[in-house]
Structures are given as structure tokens and as C-alpha cells.
Amino acid sequence: GMHIEGYHAGRVDFFPLGLSVAILSSFLCGAFLCGMLIDKNQVHFGGKSFYGIALVGNATLLVVSILVPRHQLSACFAAMACGLQNAMCTSHFGAIVRTTHVTGTITDIGSTTGRMAMIFLRKGFRLSNLNVVERAEVAVDARKVLVLLPMWLSYLLGTVFGAYLETVFDIYALLLPAFVTLSVGLVYMFFRQ
């Protein structure tokens, strides 16, 4: 029969759709938890900031994803950890950085470098021809790319390293990112003023 994006003629299976909705909803719940823990779209060191608690929560969600029965429920807890992490960094960086979306980062790198190239193209590729506003725009975009490129390379290396760890340790490979986020969260909680 005809096969189009998961649909087989004469057979209706809603399980893949239900799983996708559950994973997306879990990601949303993680982001929602961040909204409850972290006030506004700015960093508050000390006082009412709960970044440490959010990081410990992230580590906890990753460990729970290892401990629950495999596959569907495990994927939901891991997705919730991703939503929490992504929303934390969005709050920290003011929606400039997406820490769990490779395509968003590549999009940002492409559009930012394209914007810089267009400014230079209009001015004959001469820095001396740029006015004050254009220089400022190029400087801001260059700093943004200096954040995005290492982050994208971290995605790449993390993917390769994570795939290797998964072949060696199976689901327990998630203990490494859980340990890292737990450590950072605890250090933050104990050393903040």
C-alpha cells in the first residue's frame, strides 16, 4: 500500500501521534516548570533566583528517565529535562540562545552571518566605509556568532560523544549530563549570596 509520513492505507495507528504529543507536552511542561522557578527574563543571582534548583531538577529528570520503564515514559522525562534546560537558558540569555535545538542555532548562525555579509556587501567589503550604527550592528552580530559557533560545535561533539557513550553504557549514558547539571546546580546553590 501507499506509505506517506507514517500513514498506511487501510490501517490507522495513532500510537506514534500520541507519543509525539506526549513528548512535546513533556517538553512544554519542562519549560513551564522553568517559568515557575525563574522570575522574568533576566538573571537574578541570589535572592529569589532558583537556577540552582532548576539545574538540580534537570539532573533529577534525567535520572528519572533512566529509572522508569524504557521508551515512552523515559522519553517524556528526558524531553521535560530538555524543556527545562532550554527555558532556563532562554531566560538567562533573553531568548538569544536555544540550548536544545541544533536547527535553531544553525538558523541563527546563518541569519546573523548573512546580515553581517549584507552590511559589508553594501559598503564594498570595507570596514572604513561603515557608519557608527553599522559598526555597532556588526560588532553585536560578531559577538553573537562567537557564542553560537562554540555552542553548535558542542552540539556536534556532544552528539558524537553521546552516541558513543550510549553504545557503551546504554540508557545509563544519561548519567553523565545528569551529573554535570547536578554538580553545576549544587555549586550554584551553595556559592550564591
Side-chain angles (χ1 to χ4, degrees), residues 74-144:
S74 179
C76 289
F77 279 107
M80 191 180 297
C82 289
L84 177 59
Q85 174 189 329
N86 198 60
M88 282 176 53
C89 289
T90 299
S91 296
H92 184 80
F93 291 109
I96 294 173
V97 177
R98 299 176 247 284
T99 61
T100 58
H101 306 345
V102 174
T103 56
T105 303
I106 288 294
T107 300
D108 291 346
I109 291 170
S111 64
T112 301
T113 54
R115 195 170 36 250
M116 291 169 61
M118 193 59 182
I119 290 171
F120 280 116
L121 182 65
R122 281 184 280 180
K123 299 298 180 170
F125 290 100
R126 290 191 175 170
L127 186 60
S128 60
N129 290 346
L130 300 181
N131 64 36
V132 174
V133 173
E134 292 166 333
R135 284 176 191 255
E137 287 177 0
V138 168
V140 167
D141 283 345
R143 281 192 298 260
K144 186 175 177 182

Side-chain angles (χ1 to χ4, degrees), residues 17-80:
L17 175 62
L19 179 59
S20 296
V21 169
I23 290 171
L24 181 64
S25 298
S26 298
F27 187 95
L28 179 64
C29 285
F32 180 81
L33 285 173
C34 178
M36 292 181 69
L37 289 172
I38 298 173
D39 187 32
K40 300 180 184 169
N41 282 338
Q42 54 187 344
V43 179
H44 296 285
F45 291 106
K48 291 193 266 183
S49 73
F50 291 107
Y51 282 98
I53 293 170
L55 286 165
V56 170
N58 191 294
T60 302
L61 288 167
L62 289 173
V63 170
V64 168
S65 75
I66 294 168
L67 299 176
V68 299
R70 298 215 177 198
H71 306 323
Q72 294 81 15
L73 193 55
S74 179
C76 289
F77 279 107
M80 191 180 297

